Amino acid sequence: MPKTHVETTINGEPQEFLCEPSESLLAALRDGLGLTGTKEGCTTGDCGACSVMLDGRLVPSCMVLAPEAIGRSIETIEGVAQGDSLHPLQQKFLEHAALQCGVCTPGFIVAAKALLERNPDPSEEETRYWLAGNLCRCTGYDKIIRAVLDAAAEMREATA
Amino acid sequence: MLSIRYEAPASVGEAVALLDADEGAKVIAGGTDLLVQYRSGLREPTAFVDVKRIPDLMEISIDADGLVLGAATPAAEVFENTEIRQLWPGVAEATDLIGSTQIQGRATLGGNLCNSSPAADTVPALIAVGAQAVIAGPSGERELAVEDFVTGPGQNVLGRGEFLVKLRVPRPGPRTSDAYLRLIPRTEMDIAVVGAGVALTLDEGGTCTAARVAIGAVAPTALLVPDAAAALVGSSVDDAALAGAAQAASAAASPIDDKRGTVAYRRKVTGVLTQRAAAIAAERARER
Ligand SMILES: Cc1cc2nc3c(=O)[nH]c(=O)nc-3n(C[C@H](O)[C@H](O)[C@H](O)COP(=O)(O)OP(=O)(O)OC[C@H]3O[C@@H](n4cnc5c(N)ncnc54)[C@H](O)[C@@H]3O)c2cc1C
Ligand code: FES
Ligand code: FES
């Protein structure tokens, strides 16, 4: 069966892989490239665990075909920390204990980062709506929202 | 199992040729309907034809005639466009209702229309503003009104080798605006129980001179309801006219009973949402 050869950019680095044409980008990232930070929850677009950035837009990678990545630029949770230094969102998730099992966390962080890039000072309501497609079965959300708002405040201070 | 092909044509002509040559090929825009259907075994295409590399399909342009909206532009890009939000607030709010932020990064208005679900949120909004669908096919291009596009649940006018290239929305004149409302049991991430889109024009004295009312999720396809529009035209969009529009919309609905709502409930809510959407559209029209 012919596989499709995909050349793409992931977290700023050129990458290539082979995939089935009908495979999802999520499966290609996890199984093909070993980038298992991006999580699989539902594979039906409902949970947000598989969130990645595709050409600068937040998308569910389970709703993207792997060959669509050809020539595009993808950012995953693996690209969020700078070497050993955590992104403020990651740091705040730890400080606020905004995770329990952690399966939803990469999706929340990628989605929250996309929010803060567009709106450095979101209200609680804006934050809750933006993240409405990220489901968490453990935390009850409040700690996640607090972590995001706290990270936003810290990032604003750092750039002020 | 034969491997499914992935094709990414660079032009409208190439896409038509691919679709015409293979009846089992399916267009993929955002994939938020198609991939869910494919993975659940509902659809088994022979090829995915990704139309997002065709410039016409990704175009958003606004001029004196109105809006040209490439069929594959993601919902997020449509909603982020401040000019679209100002000129067609009802279309924008319907677009913003689709799924989550993530889904809106993928889902398209073209896909919403071509999937042809009776509950598709943007369809009544597009019908209300008089949107036209531009279709390309083996015998060239044709254009038809959005209300004539969907022919039944999951069915539409597209023939072999045909696909949707873009939507055209006429520019609203003075004191013209629109609104879309839907009912779902919660605030996010659900399928419409009822949807209602209204566009209307007021004269300088505040009398309604033109109106279009469309309802969704309460019949096999979204419906244009001329009787509801007639109830508004000639009035100042006062309570009596709104009640008349509500009654006409309820009468036009032929909903089904399901877990989301009963026939009687949906019929009632159709009127309520029509009335509220008309009041919002009128308020917006007064401000324009
Ligand atoms: C979690 C979730 C929440 C959702 N919430 C909503 C909601 O609130 N409201 C709502 O209305 N919908 C909702 N949807 C459904 C879906 O997101 C929308 O219908 C969306 O607009 C489909 O667009 P798409 O680009 O993803 O379509 P695709 O899945 O790419 O395509 C849908 C169908 O249309 C065909 N098609 C697509 N583009 C073209 C074209 N240009 N020419 C010809 N055929 C074409 C495809 O072959 C396929 O049959 C939701 C879906 C999910 C997964
Ligand atoms: S795995 Fe993609 S949205 Fe749930
Ligand atoms: S921490 Fe377990 S799902 Fe969110």
PDB file of all heavy atoms in Angstrom, chain A residues 1 21-22 24 45 51 57 60 62-63 67-68 70 72 118 130 132-134, chain B residues 3-4 6 30 35 38-39 50 52-53 76 80 100-103 106 188:
ATOM      1  N   MET A   1       0.853  -1.200   0.000  1.00  0.00           N
ATOM      2  CA  MET A   1       0.000   0.000   0.000  1.00  0.00           C
ATOM      3  C   MET A   1       0.888   1.248   0.000  1.00  0.00           C
ATOM      4  O   MET A   1       1.794   1.347   0.825  1.00  0.00           O
ATOM      5  CB  MET A   1      -0.882  -0.018   1.246  1.00  0.00           C
ATOM      6  CG  MET A   1      -2.252   0.543   0.980  1.00  0.00           C
ATOM      7  SD  MET A   1      -3.247   0.475   2.464  1.00  0.00           S
ATOM      8  CE  MET A   1      -3.713  -1.255   2.486  1.00  0.00           C
ATOM      9  N   PRO A  21      -2.665   7.948   3.772  1.00  0.00           N
ATOM     10  CA  PRO A  21      -3.317   9.197   3.385  1.00  0.00           C
ATOM     11  C   PRO A  21      -4.531   9.542   4.256  1.00  0.00           C
ATOM     12  O   PRO A  21      -4.866  10.705   4.405  1.00  0.00           O
ATOM     13  CB  PRO A  21      -3.768   8.930   1.943  1.00  0.00           C
ATOM     14  CG  PRO A  21      -2.966   7.769   1.477  1.00  0.00           C
ATOM     15  CD  PRO A  21      -2.571   6.972   2.671  1.00  0.00           C
ATOM     16  N   SER A  22      -5.158   8.535   4.864  1.00  0.00           N
ATOM     17  CA  SER A  22      -6.365   8.798   5.655  1.00  0.00           C
ATOM     18  C   SER A  22      -6.068   8.926   7.144  1.00  0.00           C
ATOM     19  O   SER A  22      -6.971   9.091   7.952  1.00  0.00           O
ATOM     20  CB  SER A  22      -7.375   7.674   5.446  1.00  0.00           C
ATOM     21  OG  SER A  22      -6.798   6.448   5.820  1.00  0.00           O
ATOM     22  N   SER A  24      -4.826  10.483  10.693  1.00  0.00           N
ATOM     23  CA  SER A  24      -4.932  11.843  11.232  1.00  0.00           C
ATOM     24  C   SER A  24      -3.545  12.383  11.550  1.00  0.00           C
ATOM     25  O   SER A  24      -2.590  11.619  11.774  1.00  0.00           O
ATOM     26  CB  SER A  24      -5.789  11.854  12.502  1.00  0.00           C
ATOM     27  OG  SER A  24      -5.104  11.212  13.555  1.00  0.00           O
ATOM     28  N   GLY A  45     -13.275  15.427  17.631  1.00  0.00           N
ATOM     29  CA  GLY A  45     -13.299  16.888  17.667  1.00  0.00           C
ATOM     30  C   GLY A  45     -13.937  17.476  18.909  1.00  0.00           C
ATOM     31  O   GLY A  45     -14.104  18.688  19.000  1.00  0.00           O
ATOM     32  N   SER A  51      -5.128  19.293  20.681  1.00  0.00           N
ATOM     33  CA  SER A  51      -4.907  20.633  20.129  1.00  0.00           C
ATOM     34  C   SER A  51      -3.464  20.858  19.683  1.00  0.00           C
ATOM     35  O   SER A  51      -2.524  20.576  20.426  1.00  0.00           O
ATOM     36  CB  SER A  51      -5.242  21.694  21.183  1.00  0.00           C
ATOM     37  OG  SER A  51      -6.611  21.621  21.528  1.00  0.00           O
ATOM     38  N   ARG A  57      -2.890  28.584  13.537  1.00  0.00           N
ATOM     39  CA  ARG A  57      -4.276  28.498  13.964  1.00  0.00           C
ATOM     40  C   ARG A  57      -4.486  27.269  14.849  1.00  0.00           C
ATOM     41  O   ARG A  57      -3.962  26.204  14.555  1.00  0.00           O
ATOM     42  CB  ARG A  57      -5.190  28.433  12.737  1.00  0.00           C
ATOM     43  CG  ARG A  57      -6.538  29.006  13.043  1.00  0.00           C
ATOM     44  CD  ARG A  57      -7.380  29.254  11.823  1.00  0.00           C
ATOM     45  NE  ARG A  57      -7.294  30.601  11.260  1.00  0.00           N
ATOM     46  CZ  ARG A  57      -7.666  31.711  11.868  1.00  0.00           C
ATOM     47  NH1 ARG A  57      -8.127  31.675  13.092  1.00  0.00           N
ATOM     48  NH2 ARG A  57      -7.576  32.871  11.262  1.00  0.00           N
ATOM     49  N   PRO A  60      -7.931  20.986  16.201  1.00  0.00           N
ATOM     50  CA  PRO A  60      -7.861  19.656  16.799  1.00  0.00           C
ATOM     51  C   PRO A  60      -7.128  18.748  15.806  1.00  0.00           C
ATOM     52  O   PRO A  60      -7.604  18.561  14.690  1.00  0.00           O
ATOM     53  CB  PRO A  60      -9.333  19.242  16.933  1.00  0.00           C
ATOM     54  CG  PRO A  60     -10.112  20.140  16.027  1.00  0.00           C
ATOM     55  CD  PRO A  60      -9.214  21.219  15.510  1.00  0.00           C
ATOM     56  N   CYS A  62      -6.871  15.699  15.553  1.00  0.00           N
ATOM     57  CA  CYS A  62      -7.619  14.503  15.134  1.00  0.00           C
ATOM     58  C   CYS A  62      -8.522  14.814  13.944  1.00  0.00           C
ATOM     59  O   CYS A  62      -8.988  13.916  13.263  1.00  0.00           O
ATOM     60  CB  CYS A  62      -8.449  13.932  16.285  1.00  0.00           C
ATOM     61  SG  CYS A  62      -9.846  14.951  16.802  1.00  0.00           S
ATOM     62  N   MET A  63      -8.779  16.102  13.682  1.00  0.00           N
ATOM     63  CA  MET A  63      -9.649  16.517  12.579  1.00  0.00           C
ATOM     64  C   MET A  63      -8.826  17.016  11.384  1.00  0.00           C
ATOM     65  O   MET A  63      -9.350  17.681  10.502  1.00  0.00           O
ATOM     66  CB  MET A  63     -10.598  17.644  13.035  1.00  0.00           C
ATOM     67  CG  MET A  63     -11.588  17.246  14.106  1.00  0.00           C
ATOM     68  SD  MET A  63     -13.045  16.426  13.438  1.00  0.00           S
ATOM     69  CE  MET A  63     -12.617  14.719  13.721  1.00  0.00           C
ATOM     70  N   PRO A  67      -1.515  14.074   5.690  1.00  0.00           N
ATOM     71  CA  PRO A  67      -0.902  14.670   4.495  1.00  0.00           C
ATOM     72  C   PRO A  67      -1.205  16.159   4.318  1.00  0.00           C
ATOM     73  O   PRO A  67      -0.521  16.843   3.562  1.00  0.00           O
ATOM     74  CB  PRO A  67      -1.508  13.877   3.321  1.00  0.00           C
ATOM     75  CG  PRO A  67      -2.264  12.757   3.908  1.00  0.00           C
ATOM     76  CD  PRO A  67      -2.446  12.987   5.359  1.00  0.00           C
ATOM     77  N   GLU A  68      -2.220  16.646   5.025  1.00  0.00           N
ATOM     78  CA  GLU A  68      -2.487  18.086   4.961  1.00  0.00           C
ATOM     79  C   GLU A  68      -1.307  18.892   5.497  1.00  0.00           C
ATOM     80  O   GLU A  68      -1.203  20.092   5.242  1.00  0.00           O
ATOM     81  CB  GLU A  68      -3.729  18.449   5.786  1.00  0.00           C
ATOM     82  CG  GLU A  68      -5.035  18.004   5.195  1.00  0.00           C
ATOM     83  CD  GLU A  68      -6.192  18.615   5.964  1.00  0.00           C
ATOM     84  OE1 GLU A  68      -6.212  19.842   6.147  1.00  0.00           O
ATOM     85  OE2 GLU A  68      -7.083  17.862   6.397  1.00  0.00           O
ATOM     86  N   ILE A  70       1.699  18.734   4.682  1.00  0.00           N
ATOM     87  CA  ILE A  70       2.745  18.977   3.674  1.00  0.00           C
ATOM     88  C   ILE A  70       2.950  20.481   3.488  1.00  0.00           C
ATOM     89  O   ILE A  70       2.011  21.211   3.156  1.00  0.00           O
ATOM     90  CB  ILE A  70       2.375  18.316   2.319  1.00  0.00           C
ATOM     91  CG1 ILE A  70       2.350  16.791   2.460  1.00  0.00           C
ATOM     92  CG2 ILE A  70       3.356  18.744   1.208  1.00  0.00           C
ATOM     93  CD1 ILE A  70       1.780  16.039   1.267  1.00  0.00           C
ATOM     94  N   ARG A  72       3.262  22.770   5.555  1.00  0.00           N
ATOM     95  CA  ARG A  72       2.686  23.653   6.568  1.00  0.00           C
ATOM     96  C   ARG A  72       3.612  23.682   7.796  1.00  0.00           C
ATOM     97  O   ARG A  72       4.587  22.945   7.866  1.00  0.00           O
ATOM     98  CB  ARG A  72       1.305  23.139   7.008  1.00  0.00           C
ATOM     99  CG  ARG A  72       0.339  22.847   5.882  1.00  0.00           C
ATOM    100  CD  ARG A  72      -0.450  24.083   5.505  1.00  0.00           C
ATOM    101  NE  ARG A  72      -1.590  23.735   4.652  1.00  0.00           N
ATOM    102  CZ  ARG A  72      -2.134  24.574   3.780  1.00  0.00           C
ATOM    103  NH1 ARG A  72      -1.640  25.792   3.630  1.00  0.00           N
ATOM    104  NH2 ARG A  72      -3.168  24.222   3.057  1.00  0.00           N
ATOM    105  N   ARG A 118      -3.120  36.145  21.222  1.00  0.00           N
ATOM    106  CA  ARG A 118      -4.071  37.022  20.571  1.00  0.00           C
ATOM    107  C   ARG A 118      -4.621  38.062  21.519  1.00  0.00           C
ATOM    108  O   ARG A 118      -4.954  39.165  21.115  1.00  0.00           O
ATOM    109  CB  ARG A 118      -5.152  36.071  20.196  1.00  0.00           C
ATOM    110  CG  ARG A 118      -6.165  36.129  19.313  1.00  0.00           C
ATOM    111  CD  ARG A 118      -6.712  34.727  19.040  1.00  0.00           C
ATOM    112  NE  ARG A 118      -5.881  34.010  18.102  1.00  0.00           N
ATOM    113  CZ  ARG A 118      -6.110  33.997  16.816  1.00  0.00           C
ATOM    114  NH1 ARG A 118      -7.137  34.607  16.318  1.00  0.00           N
ATOM    115  NH2 ARG A 118      -5.314  33.353  16.007  1.00  0.00           N
ATOM    116  N   TRP A 130     -13.098  30.539  25.408  1.00  0.00           N
ATOM    117  CA  TRP A 130     -12.033  30.100  24.496  1.00  0.00           C
ATOM    118  C   TRP A 130     -11.687  28.629  24.754  1.00  0.00           C
ATOM    119  O   TRP A 130     -11.423  27.874  23.825  1.00  0.00           O
ATOM    120  CB  TRP A 130     -10.793  30.986  24.666  1.00  0.00           C
ATOM    121  CG  TRP A 130      -9.669  30.629  23.763  1.00  0.00           C
ATOM    122  CD1 TRP A 130      -8.690  29.705  23.994  1.00  0.00           C
ATOM    123  CD2 TRP A 130      -9.405  31.176  22.459  1.00  0.00           C
ATOM    124  NE1 TRP A 130      -7.837  29.645  22.920  1.00  0.00           N
ATOM    125  CE2 TRP A 130      -8.249  30.536  21.963  1.00  0.00           C
ATOM    126  CE3 TRP A 130     -10.022  32.152  21.664  1.00  0.00           C
ATOM    127  CZ2 TRP A 130      -7.692  30.830  20.715  1.00  0.00           C
ATOM    128  CZ3 TRP A 130      -9.469  32.449  20.411  1.00  0.00           C
ATOM    129  CH2 TRP A 130      -8.326  31.790  19.947  1.00  0.00           C
ATOM    130  N   ALA A 132     -13.650  26.337  26.063  1.00  0.00           N
ATOM    131  CA  ALA A 132     -14.846  25.490  26.232  1.00  0.00           C
ATOM    132  C   ALA A 132     -14.727  24.161  25.497  1.00  0.00           C
ATOM    133  O   ALA A 132     -15.393  23.190  25.849  1.00  0.00           O
ATOM    134  CB  ALA A 132     -16.095  26.242  25.764  1.00  0.00           C
ATOM    135  N   GLY A 133     -13.878  24.110  24.485  1.00  0.00           N
ATOM    136  CA  GLY A 133     -13.692  22.858  23.745  1.00  0.00           C
ATOM    137  C   GLY A 133     -12.572  21.985  24.297  1.00  0.00           C
ATOM    138  O   GLY A 133     -12.203  20.989  23.677  1.00  0.00           O
ATOM    139  N   ASN A 134     -12.027  22.370  25.437  1.00  0.00           N
ATOM    140  CA  ASN A 134     -11.039  21.522  26.123  1.00  0.00           C
ATOM    141  C   ASN A 134     -11.726  20.895  27.337  1.00  0.00           C
ATOM    142  O   ASN A 134     -12.121  21.601  28.264  1.00  0.00           O
ATOM    143  CB  ASN A 134      -9.839  22.353  26.599  1.00  0.00           C
ATOM    144  CG  ASN A 134      -8.979  22.819  25.449  1.00  0.00           C
ATOM    145  OD1 ASN A 134      -9.255  23.852  24.847  1.00  0.00           O
ATOM    146  ND2 ASN A 134      -7.957  22.071  25.138  1.00  0.00           N
TER     147      ASN A 134
ATOM    148  N   SER B   3      -6.383   1.518  -0.222  1.00  0.00           N
ATOM    149  CA  SER B   3      -5.944   2.737   0.445  1.00  0.00           C
ATOM    150  C   SER B   3      -6.697   3.937  -0.132  1.00  0.00           C
ATOM    151  O   SER B   3      -6.924   4.019  -1.332  1.00  0.00           O
ATOM    152  CB  SER B   3      -4.443   2.897   0.235  1.00  0.00           C
ATOM    153  OG  SER B   3      -4.012   4.064   0.863  1.00  0.00           O
ATOM    154  N   ILE B   4      -7.084   4.827   0.755  1.00  0.00           N
ATOM    155  CA  ILE B   4      -7.749   6.045   0.320  1.00  0.00           C
ATOM    156  C   ILE B   4      -6.681   7.024  -0.150  1.00  0.00           C
ATOM    157  O   ILE B   4      -5.650   7.163   0.495  1.00  0.00           O
ATOM    158  CB  ILE B   4      -8.549   6.643   1.496  1.00  0.00           C
ATOM    159  CG1 ILE B   4      -9.574   5.616   1.991  1.00  0.00           C
ATOM    160  CG2 ILE B   4      -9.220   7.941   1.094  1.00  0.00           C
ATOM    161  CD1 ILE B   4     -10.338   6.064   3.219  1.00  0.00           C
ATOM    162  N   TYR B   6      -5.108  10.786  -1.049  1.00  0.00           N
ATOM    163  CA  TYR B   6      -5.207  12.191  -0.628  1.00  0.00           C
ATOM    164  C   TYR B   6      -4.789  13.038  -1.811  1.00  0.00           C
ATOM    165  O   TYR B   6      -3.707  12.836  -2.372  1.00  0.00           O
ATOM    166  CB  TYR B   6      -4.279  12.463   0.564  1.00  0.00           C
ATOM    167  CG  TYR B   6      -4.141  13.934   0.888  1.00  0.00           C
ATOM    168  CD1 TYR B   6      -5.131  14.607   1.602  1.00  0.00           C
ATOM    169  CD2 TYR B   6      -3.029  14.668   0.456  1.00  0.00           C
ATOM    170  CE1 TYR B   6      -5.006  15.965   1.882  1.00  0.00           C
ATOM    171  CE2 TYR B   6      -2.903  16.018   0.732  1.00  0.00           C
ATOM    172  CZ  TYR B   6      -3.899  16.661   1.445  1.00  0.00           C
ATOM    173  OH  TYR B   6      -3.785  17.998   1.716  1.00  0.00           O
ATOM    174  N   GLY B  30     -12.789  21.500   6.226  1.00  0.00           N
ATOM    175  CA  GLY B  30     -12.268  21.392   7.591  1.00  0.00           C
ATOM    176  C   GLY B  30     -12.263  19.968   8.117  1.00  0.00           C
ATOM    177  O   GLY B  30     -11.612  19.657   9.111  1.00  0.00           O
ATOM    178  N   LEU B  35     -14.632  13.756   8.593  1.00  0.00           N
ATOM    179  CA  LEU B  35     -13.747  12.794   9.268  1.00  0.00           C
ATOM    180  C   LEU B  35     -14.482  12.064  10.386  1.00  0.00           C
ATOM    181  O   LEU B  35     -14.202  10.890  10.644  1.00  0.00           O
ATOM    182  CB  LEU B  35     -12.476  13.492   9.779  1.00  0.00           C
ATOM    183  CG  LEU B  35     -11.549  13.994   8.663  1.00  0.00           C
ATOM    184  CD1 LEU B  35     -10.309  14.661   9.248  1.00  0.00           C
ATOM    185  CD2 LEU B  35     -11.142  12.865   7.715  1.00  0.00           C
ATOM    186  N   TYR B  38     -16.446   9.503   8.471  1.00  0.00           N
ATOM    187  CA  TYR B  38     -15.537   8.485   7.941  1.00  0.00           C
ATOM    188  C   TYR B  38     -15.101   7.526   9.051  1.00  0.00           C
ATOM    189  O   TYR B  38     -15.149   6.303   8.902  1.00  0.00           O
ATOM    190  CB  TYR B  38     -14.325   9.177   7.299  1.00  0.00           C
ATOM    191  CG  TYR B  38     -13.145   8.276   7.067  1.00  0.00           C
ATOM    192  CD1 TYR B  38     -13.248   7.184   6.201  1.00  0.00           C
ATOM    193  CD2 TYR B  38     -11.936   8.497   7.716  1.00  0.00           C
ATOM    194  CE1 TYR B  38     -12.160   6.339   5.996  1.00  0.00           C
ATOM    195  CE2 TYR B  38     -10.849   7.665   7.511  1.00  0.00           C
ATOM    196  CZ  TYR B  38     -10.966   6.586   6.662  1.00  0.00           C
ATOM    197  OH  TYR B  38      -9.899   5.757   6.467  1.00  0.00           O
ATOM    198  N   ARG B  39     -14.700   8.081  10.202  1.00  0.00           N
ATOM    199  CA  ARG B  39     -14.191   7.222  11.271  1.00  0.00           C
ATOM    200  C   ARG B  39     -15.283   6.387  11.905  1.00  0.00           C
ATOM    201  O   ARG B  39     -15.010   5.328  12.471  1.00  0.00           O
ATOM    202  CB  ARG B  39     -13.502   8.070  12.342  1.00  0.00           C
ATOM    203  CG  ARG B  39     -12.332   8.824  11.767  1.00  0.00           C
ATOM    204  CD  ARG B  39     -11.093   8.786  12.610  1.00  0.00           C
ATOM    205  NE  ARG B  39     -10.029   9.444  11.870  1.00  0.00           N
ATOM    206  CZ  ARG B  39      -9.787  10.752  11.930  1.00  0.00           C
ATOM    207  NH1 ARG B  39     -10.486  11.529  12.736  1.00  0.00           N
ATOM    208  NH2 ARG B  39      -8.827  11.272  11.203  1.00  0.00           N
ATOM    209  N   ASP B  50      -8.610  17.613  -0.895  1.00  0.00           N
ATOM    210  CA  ASP B  50      -8.406  18.772  -0.019  1.00  0.00           C
ATOM    211  C   ASP B  50      -8.420  20.036  -0.884  1.00  0.00           C
ATOM    212  O   ASP B  50      -7.525  20.237  -1.698  1.00  0.00           O
ATOM    213  CB  ASP B  50      -7.058  18.603   0.693  1.00  0.00           C
ATOM    214  CG  ASP B  50      -6.717  19.775   1.608  1.00  0.00           C
ATOM    215  OD1 ASP B  50      -7.544  20.704   1.740  1.00  0.00           O
ATOM    216  OD2 ASP B  50      -5.610  19.753   2.183  1.00  0.00           O
ATOM    217  N   LYS B  52      -8.247  23.130   0.166  1.00  0.00           N
ATOM    218  CA  LYS B  52      -7.710  24.311   0.854  1.00  0.00           C
ATOM    219  C   LYS B  52      -6.448  24.873   0.210  1.00  0.00           C
ATOM    220  O   LYS B  52      -5.925  25.877   0.664  1.00  0.00           O
ATOM    221  CB  LYS B  52      -7.448  23.972   2.326  1.00  0.00           C
ATOM    222  CG  LYS B  52      -8.756  23.708   3.089  1.00  0.00           C
ATOM    223  CD  LYS B  52      -8.558  23.558   4.581  1.00  0.00           C
ATOM    224  CE  LYS B  52      -7.706  22.372   4.959  1.00  0.00           C
ATOM    225  NZ  LYS B  52      -8.266  21.065   4.542  1.00  0.00           N
ATOM    226  N   ARG B  53      -5.963  24.205  -0.846  1.00  0.00           N
ATOM    227  CA  ARG B  53      -4.806  24.790  -1.555  1.00  0.00           C
ATOM    228  C   ARG B  53      -5.237  25.506  -2.829  1.00  0.00           C
ATOM    229  O   ARG B  53      -4.403  25.925  -3.626  1.00  0.00           O
ATOM    230  CB  ARG B  53      -3.763  23.712  -1.849  1.00  0.00           C
ATOM    231  CG  ARG B  53      -3.298  23.088  -0.536  1.00  0.00           C
ATOM    232  CD  ARG B  53      -1.994  22.370  -0.604  1.00  0.00           C
ATOM    233  NE  ARG B  53      -1.800  21.671   0.658  1.00  0.00           N
ATOM    234  CZ  ARG B  53      -0.707  21.761   1.412  1.00  0.00           C
ATOM    235  NH1 ARG B  53       0.300  22.502   1.035  1.00  0.00           N
ATOM    236  NH2 ARG B  53      -0.633  21.105   2.549  1.00  0.00           N
ATOM    237  N   ALA B  76     -13.085  30.552  12.070  1.00  0.00           N
ATOM    238  CA  ALA B  76     -12.367  31.505  12.919  1.00  0.00           C
ATOM    239  C   ALA B  76     -11.975  32.737  12.115  1.00  0.00           C
ATOM    240  O   ALA B  76     -12.070  33.868  12.594  1.00  0.00           O
ATOM    241  CB  ALA B  76     -11.118  30.848  13.521  1.00  0.00           C
ATOM    242  N   GLU B  80     -13.241  36.501  12.833  1.00  0.00           N
ATOM    243  CA  GLU B  80     -12.242  37.511  13.199  1.00  0.00           C
ATOM    244  C   GLU B  80     -12.308  38.736  12.295  1.00  0.00           C
ATOM    245  O   GLU B  80     -11.734  39.776  12.610  1.00  0.00           O
ATOM    246  CB  GLU B  80     -10.827  36.916  13.077  1.00  0.00           C
ATOM    247  CG  GLU B  80     -10.457  36.040  14.244  1.00  0.00           C
ATOM    248  CD  GLU B  80      -9.281  35.122  13.923  1.00  0.00           C
ATOM    249  OE1 GLU B  80      -8.583  35.337  12.906  1.00  0.00           O
ATOM    250  OE2 GLU B  80      -9.070  34.178  14.700  1.00  0.00           O
ATOM    251  N   SER B 100     -16.185  24.492  19.018  1.00  0.00           N
ATOM    252  CA  SER B 100     -15.261  25.159  19.940  1.00  0.00           C
ATOM    253  C   SER B 100     -14.283  26.018  19.152  1.00  0.00           C
ATOM    254  O   SER B 100     -14.316  26.052  17.917  1.00  0.00           O
ATOM    255  CB  SER B 100     -14.473  24.074  20.662  1.00  0.00           C
ATOM    256  OG  SER B 100     -13.807  23.277  19.687  1.00  0.00           O
ATOM    257  N   THR B 101     -13.392  26.684  19.868  1.00  0.00           N
ATOM    258  CA  THR B 101     -12.321  27.446  19.215  1.00  0.00           C
ATOM    259  C   THR B 101     -11.558  26.536  18.254  1.00  0.00           C
ATOM    260  O   THR B 101     -11.253  26.923  17.122  1.00  0.00           O
ATOM    261  CB  THR B 101     -11.326  27.968  20.278  1.00  0.00           C
ATOM    262  OG1 THR B 101     -12.057  28.459  21.392  1.00  0.00           O
ATOM    263  CG2 THR B 101     -10.460  29.070  19.711  1.00  0.00           C
ATOM    264  N   GLN B 102     -11.226  25.329  18.722  1.00  0.00           N
ATOM    265  CA  GLN B 102     -10.464  24.404  17.886  1.00  0.00           C
ATOM    266  C   GLN B 102     -11.246  24.037  16.628  1.00  0.00           C
ATOM    267  O   GLN B 102     -10.700  24.035  15.522  1.00  0.00           O
ATOM    268  CB  GLN B 102     -10.153  23.113  18.670  1.00  0.00           C
ATOM    269  CG  GLN B 102      -9.062  23.247  19.715  1.00  0.00           C
ATOM    270  CD  GLN B 102      -9.588  23.717  21.064  1.00  0.00           C
ATOM    271  OE1 GLN B 102     -10.670  24.294  21.161  1.00  0.00           O
ATOM    272  NE2 GLN B 102      -8.823  23.492  22.104  1.00  0.00           N
ATOM    273  N   ILE B 103     -12.522  23.704  16.808  1.00  0.00           N
ATOM    274  CA  ILE B 103     -13.351  23.326  15.659  1.00  0.00           C
ATOM    275  C   ILE B 103     -13.432  24.503  14.688  1.00  0.00           C
ATOM    276  O   ILE B 103     -13.352  24.339  13.466  1.00  0.00           O
ATOM    277  CB  ILE B 103     -14.782  22.904  16.127  1.00  0.00           C
ATOM    278  CG1 ILE B 103     -14.723  21.576  16.890  1.00  0.00           C
ATOM    279  CG2 ILE B 103     -15.750  22.813  14.945  1.00  0.00           C
ATOM    280  CD1 ILE B 103     -14.331  20.367  16.076  1.00  0.00           C
ATOM    281  N   ARG B 106     -10.974  24.915  11.962  1.00  0.00           N
ATOM    282  CA  ARG B 106     -11.088  23.994  10.833  1.00  0.00           C
ATOM    283  C   ARG B 106     -12.405  24.164  10.065  1.00  0.00           C
ATOM    284  O   ARG B 106     -12.413  24.210   8.830  1.00  0.00           O
ATOM    285  CB  ARG B 106     -11.041  22.535  11.345  1.00  0.00           C
ATOM    286  CG  ARG B 106      -9.711  22.131  11.899  1.00  0.00           C
ATOM    287  CD  ARG B 106      -8.674  21.909  10.823  1.00  0.00           C
ATOM    288  NE  ARG B 106      -8.961  20.759   9.960  1.00  0.00           N
ATOM    289  CZ  ARG B 106      -8.263  20.436   8.877  1.00  0.00           C
ATOM    290  NH1 ARG B 106      -7.244  21.166   8.508  1.00  0.00           N
ATOM    291  NH2 ARG B 106      -8.581  19.390   8.157  1.00  0.00           N
ATOM    292  N   GLU B 188     -22.634  26.013  24.799  1.00  0.00           N
ATOM    293  CA  GLU B 188     -21.570  25.718  23.835  1.00  0.00           C
ATOM    294  C   GLU B 188     -21.686  24.281  23.378  1.00  0.00           C
ATOM    295  O   GLU B 188     -22.209  23.424  24.099  1.00  0.00           O
ATOM    296  CB  GLU B 188     -20.194  25.859  24.514  1.00  0.00           C
ATOM    297  CG  GLU B 188     -19.709  27.274  24.649  1.00  0.00           C
ATOM    298  CD  GLU B 188     -19.047  27.779  23.391  1.00  0.00           C
ATOM    299  OE1 GLU B 188     -17.933  27.367  23.089  1.00  0.00           O
ATOM    300  OE2 GLU B 188     -19.672  28.594  22.675  1.00  0.00           O
TER     301      GLU B 188
END
